[in-house]
Amino acid sequence: MQESRPQVIARYSGIIASIANGAIDEIEGIRREEGLVKYKFGLKMLKDRNVHVDIEDDLVIIDMFVDVDFGYSIPEVVCLLQEKIKAEVEAATKFKVKKINVNVANITFSEPRQ
C-alpha cells in the first residue's frame, strides 16, 4: 500500500533533521542552539528542536539554529556544516537540498567538547 505524500514528508523531515543534528555534532566549534533565541523571537513552533525541515517538490529547505564556540571563525564552521549536511542529505535521500539557512544564535564561552 502506497503512503500519502504528507506521511512521506513527515518521515523524511525527521530523517533530514536527524542528519543535520548529527552533522552539528561532528563539526568542531559548533553546537546545537540552547533555546534562548527561539523563544525570544517567538519561534516556539520549533519547541526543543533546533532544526526545521521544509520539503516541497523534492527540494529541501533546512532552517537551523546553532551556537558557535568562541574563537572559531563563524563563516568557516557554518560553511563546513552546510557542505556536510548537503552531501549527507543528498546521499541518504532522494531529495536535493535547495537551501540551508544557518542562524547563529549565540557565541559560547565553554570548555571544548571531549
Side-chain angles (χ1 to χ4, degrees):
M1 184 173 225
Q2 198 171 27
E3 294 181 83
S4 68
R5 182 96 176 133
Q7 290 173 329
V8 171
I9 289 174
R11 180 186 304 160
Y12 276 106
S13 292
I15 291 168
I16 293 168
S18 179
I19 291 169
N21 275 321
I24 290 172
D25 294 339
E26 293 176 19
I27 302 291
E28 186 177 342
I30 202 162
R31 301 169 190 257
R32 296 178 192 184
E33 199 267 322
E34 296 296 323
L36 298 174
V37 170
K38 288 184 288 196
Y39 296 115
K40 182 177 179 183
F41 293 108
L43 300 172
K44 293 180 182 176
M45 66 180 185
L46 295 176
K47 295 182 182 168
D48 294 330
R49 295 179 15 214
N50 62 312
V51 177
H52 178 72
V53 177
D54 185 36
I55 301 172
E56 194 171 303
D57 298 326
D58 293 337
L59 295 174
V60 176
I61 298 173
I62 302 169
D63 294 299
M64 56 193 323
F65 295 85
V66 298
D67 294 340
V68 175
D69 293 338
F70 180 77
Y72 287 87
S73 169
I74 293 172
E76 286 179 19
V77 294
V78 167
C79 185
L80 284 171
L81 180 64
Q82 289 171 319
E83 290 172 352
K84 183 162 189 62
I85 291 170
K86 182 179 188 305
E88 289 184 7
V89 167
E90 290 180 353
T93 68
K94 64 179 183 173
F95 301 108
K96 295 292 179 194
V97 175
K98 180 178 181 180
K99 219 187 312 187
I100 301 173
N101 301 311
V102 179
N103 301 283
V104 177
N106 302 300
I107 305 297
T108 57
F109 297 95
S110 56
E111 294 296 319
R113 285 187 269 188
Q114 297 191 23

